Amino acid sequence: YMQGKNGKILVITGTRPEIIKMAPIIRVLQKNDVPFSHAHIGQHYDYNMSQQFIEELGLPSPEYFLKVKRNSPSLQTSHIIGLTQKLIKRIKPSLVLVEGDTNTVLASSLAALKQKIPVGHVEAGLRSHDLRMPEEHNRRLVDHLSAYLYAPTMLAKMNLEFENVWGKIFVTGNTVVDAVMQHMPLAEAKSNIIDKIYFDEYALATLHRQENVDDFYTLRSLVKAFVNSPIPIVYPVHPRSLKRLQETKLWSLLFTSNNVQMLPPVGYLDFLVLLKNSRMVITDSGGVQEEATAPLMRKPVLVTRISTERPEAIKTGFAFVVGTESENITKMINYLLENTFNPPSFSPFGDGKAAERIVNAIMDELVNTTFERL
Ligand code: UD1
Ligand code: UDP
């Protein structure tokens, strides 16, 4: 398989979206009998942010389920480097496969590089050009240390070429489209979340971006937008936001509002059904911006940020960057309520075959190279 190493792929996940987006890849690895180990690092550790997704997505239990210490971002990152370096030393994989832009991704990629193990970066080449974002730091660094870059779109590939990354670039699509296609039928058959929703028509909302929820004034503005929204809001609350809301009076503002239904973080099948039945989605999430463009979804997205690393969703008319001012968000909600929405029938993020392309690229490379560049 791979000269010198044991031919195994070490798939690393750490947070909710990493599990969801790695799931289609894990399935193709299984189907092709490619030897792999899955390690979940435990950056997200609550059941409803981690294990629940492994179960719902029907993934085999990760061989390693680690517990990273809950700490400041830099200590969290250094702790993950320590954990993954031990794991890599033990497994001696031929490739470490990471997805996205979290601290788990940066730390495990560094641990791999320092042990001369090549890194494959799924979802490479995204750029928000917003240097307040830890995700922008992480993805830039990881793209420059990866041997293989699986860019979801041509634009992502162009970003990588512009920066002269040294790894090999493949344009594959984003596995989130695969995930929606693979799970939507099951979600519609199994989920009964709609029975629990108070409103017939609603906007689905999620918030967790550090630059939004850790800044009191921004968070207050977003909460105001929800409370005053011309359409009721269904809001599954991310644990980071829960903490921030509870530290302030914003929690009771939301709690006492008849216009907002808060939920704990919901499972993937419930989330797909909530999204499918919504009139629109108001979010700062990366994955949700992409999911809304899947042919089975086709929902308008208001991105409550001043930038996006997913401009493909804007260009195709699915998403609108609305900033964080309450009045602007209300204006755009009204705009969407009053105008017909007719986006393309295809997703700019892929056709549902991204995982197959990624695994094919991995198999070709592992057979053909000894990674001498490292
Ligand atoms: C992380 C990622 C972000 C990604 C998001 C997905 C980084 C820098 N950020 O953000 O890119 O979009 O995951 O959701 O890697 N917490 C819990 N239970 C959990 C997980 C988190 O209570 O299971 C709380 C803890 O108080 C923790 C805080 O949320 O300190 C933040 O968690 P962390 O993983 O550091 O960042 P996220 O905001 O989740
Ligand atoms: N999601 C979920 N339950 C929720 C909120 C989100 O299953 O309550 C899923 C959603 O379908 C998407 C992913 O989580 O696939 C997005 O993760 P998140 O917004 O936490 O992170 P990001 O994509 O911004 O990194």
Side-chain angles (χ1 to χ4, degrees):
Y1 201 59
M2 227 298 287
Q3 287 178 4
K5 305 266 167 38
N6 73 7
K8 223 180 199 188
I9 291 159
L10 176 57
V11 176
I12 293 189
T13 60
T15 67
R16 168 169 76 186
E18 290 162 70
I19 301 172
I20 294 169
K21 289 176 169 175
M22 276 297 191
I25 297 179
I26 291 177
R27 274 190 221 110
V28 180
L29 290 173
Q30 284 181 303
K31 194 178 82 184
N32 289 295
D33 288 327
V34 180
F36 74 95
S37 291
H38 175 195
H40 184 74
I41 300 305
Q43 180 176 337
H44 284 175
Y45 45 88
D46 291 342
Y47 173 80
N48 63 13
M49 296 296 288
S50 54
Q51 178 68 26
Q52 170 171 225
F53 293 92
I54 290 161
E55 290 168 13
E56 274 194 328
L57 290 151
L59 300 178
S61 279
E63 263 168 74
Y64 305 90
F65 217 115
L66 308 180
K67 275 196 182 138
V68 65
K69 289 197 184 104
R70 296 167 203 176
N71 229 321
S72 68
S74 48
L75 288 176
Q76 181 192 54
T77 306
S78 70
H79 189 214
I80 300 172
I81 296 177
L83 289 173
T84 46
Q85 89 98 26
K86 273 192 210 138
L87 199 63
I88 290 166
K89 208 169 165 190
R90 174 151 16 132
I91 299 177
K92 296 187 184 63
S94 299
L95 178 75
V96 167
L97 197 63
V98 292
E99 194 286 331
D101 49 26
T102 64
N103 291 340
T104 293
V105 173
L106 173 62
S108 37
S109 302
L110 272 172
L113 183 73
K114 297 290 177 201
Q115 294 179 82
K116 297 189 189 294
I117 305 295
V119 174
H121 187 200
V122 178
E123 202 178 85
L126 276 60
R127 295 291 180 269
S128 68
H129 305 282
D130 182 346
L131 291 174
R132 297 172 308 159
M133 298 178 68
E135 293 83 0
E136 184 73 359
H137 315 155
N138 292 344
R139 59 173 88 98
R140 282 177 187 244
L141 292 165
V142 174
D143 283 340
H144 283 268
L145 58 76
S146 296
Y148 303 109
L149 300 115
Y150 308 107
T153 65
M154 280 306 294
L155 184 68
K157 180 183 181 194
M158 280 160 61
N159 288 336
L160 294 168
E161 285 173 343
F162 182 72
E163 288 179 19
N164 283 316
V165 297
W166 60 273
K168 191 166 173 181
I169 306 168
F170 304 83
V171 178
T172 60
N174 195 309
T175 57
V176 80
V177 180
D178 309 23
V180 174
M181 288 165 88
Q182 289 166 14
H183 294 282
M184 200 60 216
L186 184 66
E188 288 189 313
K190 272 196 139 178
S191 165
N192 58 4
I193 186 88
I194 291 303
D195 303 342
K196 297 177 193 149
I197 301 303
Y198 307 147
F199 320 111
D200 291 335
E201 195 177 49
Y202 61 88
L204 178 63
T206 80
L207 287 181
H208 73 279
R209 246 351 113 200
Q210 181 184 301
E211 64 279 7
N212 278 345
V213 304
D214 286 10
D215 180 85
F216 173 75
Y217 297 99
T218 307
L219 186 59
R220 186 176 64 178
S221 176
L222 293 165
V223 167
K224 268 194 199 164
F226 290 0
V227 171
N228 299 326
S229 165
I231 180 169
I233 303 283
V234 173
Y235 173 27
V237 186
H238 185 286
R240 180 184 205 106
S241 313
L242 179 69
K243 221 166 143 185
R244 298 293 171 241
L245 291 167
Q246 287 180 334
E247 282 164 7
T248 63
K249 288 195 176 128
L250 296 174
W251 172 259
S252 61
L253 199 61
L254 283 170
F255 194 73
T256 53
S257 165
N258 292 330
N259 203 38
V260 181
Q261 181 175 0
M262 285 190 288
L263 300 169
V266 298
Y268 186 55
L269 303 182
D270 284 346
F271 194 83
L272 289 179
V273 168
L274 282 177
L275 183 55
K276 177 81 194 167
N277 285 277
S278 68
R279 180 75 193 268
M280 66 186 78
V281 53
I282 305 171
T283 190
D284 58 14
S285 160
V288 177
Q289 285 176 62
E290 293 156 346
E291 270 165 6
T293 70
L296 295 171
M297 287 294 177
R298 299 177 77 237
K299 296 291 170 185
V301 189
L302 300 184
V303 182
T304 52
R305 293 174 39 187
I306 57 170
S307 66
T308 179
E309 56 292 305
R310 279 125 172 134
E312 298 89 343
I314 313 289
K315 287 200 187 108
T316 44
F318 280 101
F320 305 83
V321 174
V322 294
T324 55
E325 295 290 333
S326 165
E327 295 76 21
N328 290 345
I329 298 170
T330 311
K331 254 188 233 160
M332 277 308 291
I333 296 175
N334 277 321
Y335 172 84
L336 289 178
L337 290 174
E338 286 157 15
N339 290 278
T340 46
F341 171 68
N342 198 13
S345 53
F346 61 89
S347 166
F349 299 108
D351 57 2
K353 294 186 183 135
E356 268 177 45
R357 288 190 195 98
I358 291 166
V359 174
N360 283 341
I362 291 173
M363 295 198 318
D364 285 351
E365 288 297 322
L366 289 193
V367 171
N368 293 334
T369 180
T370 51
F371 301 118
E372 274 155 9
R373 279 176 298 176
L374 282 168

